[in-house]
Amino acid sequence: MAAAVLPLDTRRHTSAPVVALPKKPLPAGLPREWYVAHNRRLKTMRLTIALLDSGVYEAAQAGNGRIRRTAERIGVHPPSDITCRMVRHLLTYGR
């Protein structure tokens, strides 16, 4: 027998606390460029998630100013132009 599906307005959404995963050290001995690119990708993901949570779903809505204001709001250093471009690409290709 199929399970009953509740209408959207009557579904209960629980907001369970988010628990961060334990941090692991990065591998040693890689070129500096690898660490720079890795950290840039992490910042790009954080900014993209924050923009999506705030209702920005299109790359055209995410100008450098908006991305930098979002970075300030979530407490990360202002992103470079390259990082802003990566955020827009992630918004575009994530669809």
Side-chain angles (χ1 to χ4, degrees), residues 11-35:
R11 290 183 186 168
R12 300 283 180 196
H13 295 285
T14 59
S15 57
V18 177
V19 179
L21 297 173
K23 291 187 176 183
K24 295 184 281 187
L26 293 175
L30 296 173
R32 176 174 167 72
E33 293 80 25
W34 184 90
Y35 298 103

Side-chain angles (χ1 to χ4, degrees), residues 51-52 54-67 69-70 87-88 91-92 95:
L51 285 167
L52 289 169
S54 68
V56 176
Y57 303 111
E58 300 285 332
Q61 297 173 312
N64 287 358
R66 182 174 239 170
I67 294 171
R69 285 191 303 274
T70 302
V87 168
R88 284 190 289 277
L91 285 171
T92 301
R95 305 189 95 224

